[in-house]
């Protein structure tokens, strides 16, 4: 389909929809917020996996982007993104060879959390960050002493020590602001001990990178991070709509359109968006308007339950429960202005998880 504009009602469903104007306002709001506080902004592209969106973020003032996986970084670099930070370790021989090839083309940094990995990265051309575990035990060194030891190996291997990464992922979706604030204050107190140990050992740490959509305003207030890795702010989703966020107000910019395909049971209709249309780690999507409740019926279908339901063949718009993995289920964004489709962008790094 290439003739634009076209009526939104003509799109085959399920369809991933993006309101570019709303997204651009979100991008500008976060860029202005970071700029006013002297913080670097490096948004996380794991949310959108899109070269077009990454370029818009950089044009608005971001210093570069983050990618979760090497494959994402390769895809976005091929699409014109020239400054990327990899937030997950690269440890295999093949992965390190790919990392070196990418570092020869763009400005690239990557985390390490073990001395053996740092030694294996020698000569790769990327800047290295010490990844610090905030307590989740996913990745990262687990003590100030381990951070100092790793920094020493990075320097001894002839690599450039770019700074420290500290991402508190588990805290991003704590529902109440007060509880989230208390959790980040505690985590930041620990980060200060790591940074103090590195300073005492003589290591300069020019960048302390982390934060997310749920905590960036708290991190900015506490004044320890120098760079924000926010991601979902550009779209929002049901998880973040359920949270008491601070800072700028962001708009919902991402939806999934579906169609009622069966309406034979009182109090329920079936739509054509099921498990293949939404990530399920954060529960169920919500209907954008009305009071109907969504329930999964299987791979291809979902149910809307309640009063005043849509009728057979009617369109239904839903807010995804978790935007990042939902986006990864689709090949493209359909760009919409109200009831009109104005174009399409590919999900550049869809499926690039290696």
């Amino acid at each position: 389909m290439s003739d634009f504009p076209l009526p939104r009602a003509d799109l085959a469903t399920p369809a991933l929809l993006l309101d570019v104007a709303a997204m651009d306002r979100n991008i500008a709001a976060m860029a202005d917020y970071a700029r006013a506080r002297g913080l670097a902004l490096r948004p996380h592209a794991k949310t959108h996996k899109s070269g077009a969106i990454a370029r818009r973020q950089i044009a608005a003032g971001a210093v570069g982007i983050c990618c979760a996986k090497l494959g994402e970084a390769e895809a976005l670099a091929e699409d014109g993104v020239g400054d990327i930070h990899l937030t997950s370790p690269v440890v295999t021989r093949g992965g390190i060879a790919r990392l070196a090839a990418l570092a020869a083309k763009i400005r690239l940094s990557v985390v390490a959390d073990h001395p053996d990995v740092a030694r294996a990265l020698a000569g790769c051309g990327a800047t290295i960050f010490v990844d610090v575990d905030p307590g989740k035990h996913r990745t990262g060194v687990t003590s100030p002493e381990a951070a100092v030891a790793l920094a020493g190996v990075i320097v001894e291997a002839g690599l450039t020590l770019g700074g420290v990464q500290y991402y508190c992922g588990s805290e991003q979706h704590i529902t109440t602001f007060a509880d989230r604030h208390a959790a980040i204050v505690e985590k930041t107190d620990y980060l200060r001990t790591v940074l103090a140990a590195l300073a005492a050992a003589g290591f300069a740490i020019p960048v302390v990178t982390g934060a997310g959509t749920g905590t960036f305003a708290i991190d900015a207030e506490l004044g320890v991070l120098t760079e924000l890795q926010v991601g979902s702010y550009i779209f929002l989703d049901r998880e973040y709509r359920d949270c008491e966020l601070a800072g700028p107000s962001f708009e919902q910019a991402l939806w999934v359109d579906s169609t009622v395909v069966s309406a034979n049971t009182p109090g329920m209709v079936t739509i054509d968006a099921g498990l293949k249309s939404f990530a399920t780690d954060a529960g169920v999507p919500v209907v954008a308007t009305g009071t109907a409740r969504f329930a999964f019926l299987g791979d291809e279908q979902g149910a809307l339950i309640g009063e005043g339901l849509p009728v057979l063949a009617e369109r239904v718009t839903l807010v995804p429960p978790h935007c990042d993995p939902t986006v990864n289920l689709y090949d493209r964004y359909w760009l919409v202005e109200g009831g009109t489709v104005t174009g399409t962008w590919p999900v550049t790094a869809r499926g690039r998880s290696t």
Side-chain angles (χ1 to χ4, degrees), residues 166 182-194 222 224:
Y166 191 70
I184 293 300
V185 167
E186 180 181 352
K187 297 293 184 183
T188 303
D189 285 344
Y190 171 67
L191 174 59
R192 287 191 178 97
T193 69
V194 176
L222 296 175
V224 176

Side-chain angles (χ1 to χ4, degrees), residues 76-92:
L76 295 185
E78 290 165 8
D79 204 24
V81 179
D83 192 322
I84 298 176
H85 172 66
L86 272 170
T87 59
S88 300
V90 177
V91 303
T92 65

Side-chain angles (χ1 to χ4, degrees), residues 30 34-35 37-44 61-67 83-87 107 109-111 127 129 162-168 191 205-212 215-216 219-220 223-230:
M30 184 63 81
R35 189 179 301 113
R37 288 155 182 80
L39 296 169
L41 181 62
R42 185 177 289 276
H44 214 309
V63 297
I65 63 165
C66 296
C67 287
D83 192 322
I84 298 176
H85 172 66
L86 272 170
T87 59
R107 186 181 182 199
S109 56
V110 64
V111 298
T127 298
F129 279 66
V164 163
Q165 175 177 281
Y166 191 70
Y167 175 59
C168 299
L191 174 59
I205 302 298
V207 177
V208 184
T209 186
T215 67
F216 73 91
D219 290 304
V224 176
L225 297 186
T226 67
E227 183 176 88
L228 304 178
Q229 294 184 2
V230 286

Side-chain angles (χ1 to χ4, degrees), residues 148-317:
V148 170
L150 179 56
V153 172
I154 290 169
V155 173
E156 289 165 8
L159 294 159
T160 299
L161 176 60
V164 163
Q165 175 177 281
Y166 191 70
Y167 175 59
C168 299
S170 298
E171 286 69 34
Q172 298 303 316
H173 295 102
I174 296 174
T175 304
T176 68
F177 179 79
D179 289 344
R180 200 175 331 119
H181 187 280
I184 293 300
V185 167
E186 180 181 352
K187 297 293 184 183
T188 303
D189 285 344
Y190 171 67
L191 174 59
R192 287 191 178 97
T193 69
V194 176
L195 295 174
L198 287 164
F203 294 107
I205 302 298
V207 177
V208 184
T209 186
T213 298
T215 67
F216 73 91
I218 305 168
D219 290 304
E221 167 204 326
L222 296 175
V224 176
L225 297 186
T226 67
E227 183 176 88
L228 304 178
Q229 294 184 2
V230 286
S232 299
Y233 75 98
I234 58 165
F235 293 155
L236 293 189
D237 53 25
R238 199 225 69 243
E239 271 194 303
Y240 275 121
R241 282 167 57 134
D242 290 347
C243 287
E244 296 175 0
L245 296 180
S249 296
F250 300 113
E251 305 173 47
Q252 186 67 41
L254 187 79
W255 297 271
V256 171
D257 262 8
S258 60
T259 302
V260 176
V261 295
S262 182
N264 295 331
T265 302
M268 171 184 147
V269 297
T270 301
I271 62 174
D272 61 358
L275 293 167
K276 291 180 181 177
S277 302
F278 300 99
T280 61
D281 59 301
V284 298
V286 294
V287 180
T289 59
T291 59
R293 295 178 292 105
F294 177 94
F296 286 109
L297 288 178
D299 290 351
E300 315 299 344
Q301 287 90 30
L304 299 184
I305 302 165
E307 305 289 334
L309 295 172
V311 299
L312 187 66
E314 188 173 342
R315 290 299 177 99
V316 178
T317 299

